[in-house]
Amino acid sequence: MTAAEMEEEFLILYDKITNFDAPGYESDEISRFLSRAQERLVLHIENPKGNKYITGFELSEKRRKDLSELVFDAAGIAAAFVQTGSKANGTFFELPADFLYCIQEEATISSTDPCYDGDEGVNVKPVTHDYYNKNKRSPFKKPYGELIWRMDYSSNAGIKRHELITDVATTVTAYSLRYIKRPRPIISGPGPIEGQAGPLNCQLDSITHRAIIDEAVAIASGVTTPEVWQLKRAEAGLSE
């Protein structure tokens, strides 16, 4: 569906759910509801336990394919210019501006340890700050030449970063990742929304569009629980 068609279906469903007994919304407001719903859907696909309204969006191969248009590569990311605040043997790497989720990552290293070849690609393990504090001195769990820790970090400027932590003999020479980018807004009119002019259609597979509309109507009508949402759908004579 185009953004205009999604807006039209939004209005039809919204009128049925509210029984025409609710304030109307302008095109710009509907675009914002659709954009917010799209972002929620992406978050729910990655975290299905947080799914409130859209049934059947469990983590599966099919649902991952729904995000295929949002999957991008960032290869050979260089170390950030500013390293203030990094941990011992840690290096900050700035992420792409549209970064949302990492789905695969690896690093290229150089090492003074003769057990490891130079420019060797190694695994990167995401860890929490608690894990770091508990295991940074453990000889069995701390980073080594074939394993790098990664912690999330944002600077004061709001730039998303990953901090890669190695052992003392290892230096990260390049960092690469495959990630899900933040979807652009859905805009049926001229916009702008989130700094972008319209019209802009939904980037996700068309099979997700009605789920996005459902979520947008739930947001617009003030539904806060899945039970209430299902009740309102039933009252409106809408099947699953």
Side-chain angles (χ1 to χ4, degrees):
M1 280 186 274
T2 65
E5 290 170 334
M6 292 182 74
E7 177 181 324
E8 184 178 355
E9 290 217 7
F10 171 96
L11 289 169
I12 293 170
L13 180 58
Y14 180 73
D15 287 341
K16 288 183 178 179
I17 291 293
T18 61
N19 197 26
F20 298 92
D21 188 26
Y25 289 108
E26 300 295 329
S27 180
D28 180 70
E29 295 172 306
I30 295 171
S31 292
R32 292 180 185 277
F33 285 133
L34 291 169
S35 299
R36 184 178 173 189
Q38 174 184 235
E39 187 169 301
R40 279 192 182 182
L41 183 143
V42 172
L43 294 174
H44 292 160
I45 290 175
E46 287 300 300
N47 178 24
K49 292 182 180 179
N51 188 327
K52 288 185 177 180
Y53 309 115
I54 308 168
T55 58
F57 269 69
E58 68 276 1
L59 204 58
S60 66
E61 181 180 1
K62 178 184 179 302
R63 292 313 181 190
R64 285 194 176 276
K65 286 180 179 178
D66 293 340
L67 297 182
S68 60
E69 295 300 320
L70 302 180
V71 176
F72 281 77
D73 287 323
I77 302 172
F81 180 73
V82 177
Q83 293 292 327
T84 304
S86 60
K87 302 293 185 184
N89 302 318
T91 305
F92 290 129
F93 290 81
E94 292 186 2
L95 303 175
D98 58 3
F99 176 89
L100 186 60
Y101 282 115
C102 181
I103 55 178
Q104 188 272 333
E105 55 193 318
E106 62 181 20
T108 302
I109 66 165
S110 63
S111 178
T112 59
D113 189 329
C115 293
Y116 305 107
D117 296 330
D119 297 326
E120 182 180 358
V122 299
N123 294 326
V124 177
K125 177 181 179 179
V127 301
T128 64
H129 285 77
D130 283 344
Y131 184 94
Y132 170 85
N133 289 333
K134 291 176 182 177
N135 297 292
K136 61 184 177 181
R137 294 184 177 87
S138 169
F140 305 107
K141 293 186 177 181
K142 67 181 182 180
Y144 59 97
E146 293 181 347
L147 179 68
I148 296 170
W149 284 354
R150 183 262 286 172
M151 296 195 298
D152 296 331
Y153 185 88
S154 291
S155 68
N156 292 333
I159 300 172
K160 290 184 178 180
R161 294 177 170 186
H162 281 168
E163 183 176 12
L164 301 188
I165 299 174
T166 67
D167 64 3
V168 68
T170 303
T171 301
V172 176
T173 56
Y175 177 43
S176 300
L177 54 83
R178 178 165 292 178
Y179 69 99
I180 295 174
K181 77 170 192 173
R182 185 176 300 278
R184 71 188 184 195
I186 300 170
I187 309 175
S188 59
I193 293 176
E194 298 177 14
Q196 298 192 54
L200 288 176
N201 296 329
C202 178
Q203 289 179 283
L204 302 186
D205 191 282
S206 60
I207 198 171
T208 68
H209 292 181
R210 286 194 169 85
I212 292 171
I213 294 165
D214 267 24
E215 181 85 348
V217 172
I219 296 169
S221 56
V223 175
T224 58
T225 68
E227 294 78 15
V228 173
W229 177 244
Q230 296 304 325
L231 178 61
K232 283 185 174 290
R233 287 187 61 90
E235 291 174 345
L238 298 170
S239 60
E240 291 300 324

